Amino acid sequence: MPFVRETARLGGKEIIVETGKWAKQAGGSVVIRCGDSMVLVTAAGSAQPRDIDFMPLTCEYRENFYSSGKIPGSFFRREGRTTNEEILICRLMDRPVRPLFPKGWFIDTQIIANVVSFDKENPTDVLAMTGASAALHISDLVWGGPIAGVRIGRIDGEFVANPTFAEREKSDMDIVVAASKDAIMMVEGEMHEMQENVVIDALLFAHQAVQPLIELQERLRAANGKDKRPFTAPVPDEALAAQVKELAWGRLGEAMTIKDKHKRRHAVSTLHLEIRGALTSEGQAWAGKSKEVDGAFAKLEKKWARGHTLATRQRIDGRAPDEIRAISVETGVLPRAHGSALFTRGETQALVAVTLGTKYDEKKLDTLLGDRKKTFYMDYNFPPFSTGEVKPLRGQSRREVGHGFLAERSVEAVVPVYEDFPYTIRVVSDILESNGSSSMASVCGGSLALMDAGVPTKAPIAGIAMGLMKEGSDYVVLSDILGDEDHLGDMDFKVTGTRRGVCALQMDIKVDGLTREILEKALEQAKRGRIFILDKMDRAMSAPRDEVSVYAPRIVTVQIKPDKVRDIIGPGGKTIRAIQEQTGAQIDIADNGVVSIASSNSKAIEQAQALISGLTMEPEVGQFYNGIVKKIVEIGAFVEIIPGTDGLLHISEVAKERIRAVEDVLNEGDEVIVKCIKVDRDGKIRLSRREALDANPAPEDVHNYII
């Protein structure tokens, strides 16, 4: 196997792909590089097919901490289970390559991407996507690629291909696109309330941007590609298909038009089992060929649904193509949650709850870029009962991680920045029923639950899932698709946004390509659907509540001088711990002097504020202070009235009457109320206990820093 190195330019950067040196026993192996970021990607397949009826593809993506010169922060100091961020990139690799395997490909296939070098400038996710395609393309595995991945940003109104991490901070768009020579295969991204025409321009820009990487992979295969394995796609049994159609067609139409999901599926399943029994019983032509009959019935079901929708412009549940299912909304359904909503659309239902926490509740992530903290995060749960099934609960699936991330990035677009609303926010969506687009229901429910919690969101946000059925030049775009329409159709296009524009989208397609006309129609129809849903949501709750829940912590921020931070913290944290123990409030101090005080008890916050104020104040003439006698000298005593700040209490100011020695009245360590009577130009402070005794100030008029 000769060593081959090919290069292409994308977004002004050089992309290098090498093969023939590393991991040569894999079916296909490449190292793809941009800058000093490098990913080793391998593709391998088992020797024999499995006796199954689905394609067994597994995509893995691992970030090795050595790639950035970092030791993992886990207890075992090694990479552990796949993180959510890695799972999301596994899905980016999987979704565009899976549809390009031939029908009947039952070979165990595995793609593994290992980040082996990371320069903290060039992201590795899009490299892994292109690397997966390149490894498959040069391998002996039968596959219909190549494809390539690209990230699109927009800076100052100009699209940028594969922006660096620094450039992404300036961008108002972050979209990852996978495309072949002729078509867009997958889209995943977020943006700041973008207009639909700008989104379309970005997608078409991405398609053009990846063409050099497509050509690179063709050169790579020409120079070092393996012969593809012998593979014969299964040939449909036309006689069987005709027999299944003759027995099932009429009754299938009756079953498929039942509106209720479970009744429809029961009717279709009953018919399926009846046809299978009739055709595979002993003495029949297809005896012992249940799988073949099952396949023929599945094709007939798909053919009926698509033909019916295209011919009548009416869907299997009776709706028009752009019609949204019935929506009901309730807020405040959980009395002790800080915010909650129950969002129901058709046979999909999401129970969403919001919890408000303090800085101590931040999610801490150990990444190649270093430790990262999140003050907003969303979890999505899809229990088996939501579809009437029985399965063991084994933690989040990859699907749940992906759908939860789409909902999270959508809802986060309208959440205020931490500086304006200093809470850690956790949103949890539990799917109670599912028949199409539970992630979009989570977005709608999440928006409502945040408003119910009193979070000052920028605007309500909603989501809708769009579908497509296309035969030749004839097509129909479907709004608010059912689960069956997702399965039987050609596109799953999820769009979220406010009334002003699009905030996030996710698209997977199964057809050869989408024209600009189809994209424009899909996004325009999605916009109308989104506005319809937002109108329904507004009737239940149109604006955030004025205050957060009584069960949520109250957070007050105080700005102090940065050089006073050490006074609040104290030696070894002694002072701040004492304040927290005395008041019961949680206190967090930033290096810039912003102090956050959190408690569900308003009196505790007031008490902590008073103590912090006493610790950070500057001495003022005429003010009373409760201080500590630090040192007694012949002429008087030095009293600490603020941490680190002493004033001189002259012997003549110790008492109303004349005294012989300070020790006759005071001892070191005593607490004493004094009045500041003078601050010299050089900063020296003069104090008087005598004037304080004469004034007899009320406790609230005395500044007290003593914990």
Side-chain angles (χ1 to χ4, degrees):
M1 180 183 293
F3 172 76
V4 179
R5 185 176 190 266
E6 294 287 348
T7 64
R9 295 197 69 81
L10 179 64
K13 305 177 186 69
E14 186 177 55
I15 306 291
I16 303 168
V17 182
E18 298 177 350
T19 187
K21 183 189 291 186
W22 298 27
K24 295 188 291 296
Q25 293 188 46
S29 170
V30 300
V31 174
I32 182 167
R33 175 173 183 166
C34 181
D36 283 342
S37 289
M38 299 169 60
V39 186
L40 167 65
V41 190
T42 60
S46 61
Q48 298 296 328
R50 290 168 59 188
D51 184 22
I52 52 177
D53 59 357
F54 62 91
M55 202 207 74
L57 171 67
T58 305
C59 291
E60 303 290 351
Y61 171 89
R62 298 305 301 268
E63 293 181 340
N64 295 297
F65 278 79
Y66 64 71
S67 65
S68 63
K70 191 172 183 292
I71 294 175
S74 66
F75 177 81
F76 295 104
R77 291 295 186 265
R78 68 170 297 163
E79 292 82 1
R81 69 175 184 86
T82 307
T83 66
N84 282 359
E85 286 70 24
E86 289 171 324
I87 287 172
L88 293 170
I89 299 173
C90 292
R91 286 172 56 83
L92 290 179
M93 295 163 58
D94 184 300
R95 286 159 50 198
V97 303
R98 184 179 291 272
L100 296 177
F101 282 92
K103 297 292 184 183
W105 184 260
F106 301 139
I107 299 290
D108 271 313
T109 305
Q110 186 175 47
I111 304 169
I112 300 177
N114 277 291
V115 179
V116 292
S117 181
F118 180 58
D119 62 10
K120 300 186 179 182
E121 181 179 351
N122 296 290
T124 53
D125 50 2
V126 289
L127 296 180
M129 293 168 66
T130 302
S133 171
L136 283 169
H137 200 45
I138 66 171
S139 75
D140 62 334
L141 304 176
V142 180
W143 184 64
I147 59 100
V150 63
R151 171 176 275 103
I152 302 299
R154 194 178 76 151
I155 302 174
D156 298 328
E158 296 292 328
F159 295 126
V160 179
N162 280 3
T164 62
F165 284 105
E167 289 172 328
R168 286 166 67 179
E169 293 295 323
K170 306 172 188 175
S171 175
D172 59 2
M173 169 185 285
D174 185 12
I175 303 179
V176 174
V177 179
S180 65
K181 181 179 179 180
D182 302 315
I184 294 171
M185 304 298 298
M186 184 215 71
V187 180
E188 177 89 42
E190 60 185 282
M191 56 229 61
H192 299 310
E193 296 181 310
M194 201 76 69
Q195 295 305 302
E196 281 76 5
N197 65 308
V198 178
V199 175
I200 293 171
D201 289 341
L203 298 182
L204 298 180
F205 175 83
H207 184 238
Q208 290 301 313
V210 301
Q211 295 309 310
L213 292 181
I214 302 294
E215 295 167 6
L216 177 153
Q217 293 178 68
E218 296 291 10
R219 296 196 302 271
L220 200 70
R221 170 152 185 81
N224 201 11
K226 294 181 179 179
D227 292 335
K228 294 297 182 180
R229 320 182 166 192
F231 174 75
T232 302
V235 178
D237 186 332
E238 298 299 339
L240 173 60
Q243 186 65 34
V244 171
K245 182 176 182 180
E246 181 181 341
L247 295 174
W249 187 258
R251 293 171 60 193
L252 180 61
E254 295 175 4
M256 288 291 287
T257 51
I258 297 173
K259 294 184 179 182
D260 182 88
K261 168 187 169 181
H262 288 290
K263 291 180 180 178
R264 179 174 64 252
R265 291 190 175 178
H266 176 72
V268 171
S269 177
T270 300
L271 177 61
H272 175 198
L273 294 175
E274 183 180 321
I275 299 299
R276 182 206 287 172
L279 294 178
T280 61
S281 61
E282 187 174 348
Q284 296 298 318
W286 293 279
K289 295 183 178 181
S290 296
K291 287 176 63 175
E292 287 82 349
V293 174
D294 293 345
F297 187 88
K299 287 182 180 179
L300 186 69
E301 183 183 353
K302 185 173 184 177
K303 182 178 180 180
W304 188 95
R306 296 166 66 85
H308 171 78
T309 302
L310 287 166
T312 65
R313 287 323 196 242
Q314 190 177 65
R315 297 151 73 174
I316 58 179
D317 62 352
R319 284 183 292 152
D322 62 349
E323 188 177 346
I324 311 299
R325 289 173 290 176
I327 293 172
S328 68
V329 175
E330 294 180 62
T331 58
V333 295
L334 305 177
R336 284 301 179 111
H338 299 161
S340 60
L342 185 68
F343 181 87
T344 308
R345 185 192 62 246
E347 295 171 297
T348 296
Q349 185 178 73
L351 173 65
V352 188
V354 170
T355 306
L356 303 179
T358 67
K359 195 170 182 64
Y360 293 95
D361 298 307
E362 292 175 330
K363 180 181 284 190
K364 298 173 180 63
L365 304 173
D366 190 19
T367 73
L368 295 184
L369 285 168
D371 294 340
R372 188 162 62 92
K373 296 179 180 179
K374 293 177 67 173
T375 56
F376 175 83
Y377 44 95
M378 185 168 182
D379 295 322
Y380 166 97
N381 300 311
F382 193 87
F385 64 75
S386 64
T387 55
E389 297 176 284
V390 177
K391 295 179 182 178
L393 295 178
R394 294 286 186 265
Q396 277 191 309
S397 67
R398 289 189 172 189
R399 175 189 174 279
E400 287 174 286
V401 172
H403 285 214
F405 179 66
L406 174 61
E408 176 180 292
R409 75 194 317 179
S410 300
V411 176
E412 189 173 17
V414 298
V415 171
V417 296
Y418 183 81
E419 289 73 20
D420 294 337
F421 189 72
Y423 285 90
T424 295
I425 304 172
R426 182 188 183 222
V427 183
V428 179
S429 176
D430 286 315
I431 303 305
L432 306 186
E433 297 180 42
S434 179
N435 184 15
S437 194
S438 54
S439 62
M440 297 298 92
S442 299
V443 172
C444 301
S447 177
L448 291 160
L450 285 168
M451 291 192 292
D452 184 56
V455 178
T457 53
K458 301 170 187 176
I461 184 170
I464 186 170
M466 309 298 295
L468 174 73
M469 289 190 179
K470 184 175 183 293
E471 294 290 345
S473 60
D474 188 20
Y475 70 90
V476 59
V477 175
L478 308 176
S479 297
D480 179 25
I481 57 175
L482 304 172
D484 287 340
E485 290 172 327
D486 182 8
H487 173 67
L488 301 171
D490 298 316
M491 177 179 75
D492 180 13
F493 192 1
K494 297 181 176 71
V495 186
T496 73
T498 66
R499 294 182 184 276
R500 292 190 292 267
V502 178
C503 292
L505 52 85
Q506 182 184 91
M507 180 175 72
D508 295 290
I509 65 171
K510 308 169 192 174
V511 290
D512 293 337
L514 294 180
T515 63
R516 185 182 184 102
E517 176 192 350
I518 296 177
L519 284 171
E520 287 177 342
K521 181 170 179 58
L523 281 168
E524 186 276 331
Q525 196 166 308
K527 181 179 181 180
R528 285 191 280 114
R530 187 173 77 241
I531 299 301
F532 175 85
I533 296 169
L534 285 168
D535 288 342
K536 295 286 187 180
M537 292 166 57
D538 281 349
R539 292 173 192 171
M541 177 167 282
S542 59
R545 299 197 188 281
D546 295 333
E547 294 184 352
V548 299
S549 165
V550 294
Y551 300 110
R554 297 300 195 272
I555 298 180
V556 173
T557 57
V558 178
Q559 178 68 59
I560 64 172
K561 292 182 178 180
D563 60 3
K564 291 289 185 180
V565 169
R566 63 178 182 273
D567 296 331
I568 300 177
I569 295 175
K574 179 181 178 181
T575 304
I576 192 171
R577 284 197 303 272
I579 296 174
Q580 292 182 125
E581 289 172 3
Q582 181 175 327
T583 65
Q586 287 186 351
I587 300 172
D588 179 77
I589 309 173
D591 293 338
N592 62 1
V594 175
V595 182
S596 296
I597 308 168
S599 175
S600 56
N601 186 332
S602 58
K603 290 184 178 179
I605 292 178
E606 292 172 5
Q607 187 181 5
Q609 273 185 287
L611 292 171
I612 290 170
S613 176
L615 289 165
T616 57
M617 70 178 63
E618 300 286 347
E620 293 182 36
V621 174
Q623 292 294 326
F624 296 97
Y625 299 91
N626 186 31
I628 296 178
V629 178
K630 289 294 186 179
K631 186 178 181 181
I632 294 177
V633 294
E634 186 176 348
I635 62 170
F638 287 96
V639 179
E640 185 180 52
I641 57 173
I642 298 172
T645 302
D646 295 344
L648 175 63
L649 176 61
H650 192 269
I651 190 171
S652 63
E653 298 291 339
V654 170
K656 293 180 180 181
E657 67 280 358
R658 182 183 180 86
I659 59 174
R660 181 183 60 81
V662 175
E663 290 87 347
D664 293 342
V665 179
L666 300 173
N667 294 305
E668 289 184 4
D670 286 352
E671 291 186 29
V672 57
I673 296 176
V674 294
K675 180 181 180 181
C676 177
I677 57 176
K678 185 178 182 182
V679 178
D680 297 336
R681 289 184 178 180
D682 59 2
K684 291 181 179 178
I685 302 167
R686 309 292 179 176
L687 305 172
S688 172
R689 178 174 177 268
R690 178 176 56 81
E691 292 190 23
L693 291 171
D694 287 337
N696 190 26
E700 59 268 21
D701 294 328
V702 178
H703 294 294
N704 183 11
Y705 83 91
I706 300 171
I707 307 300

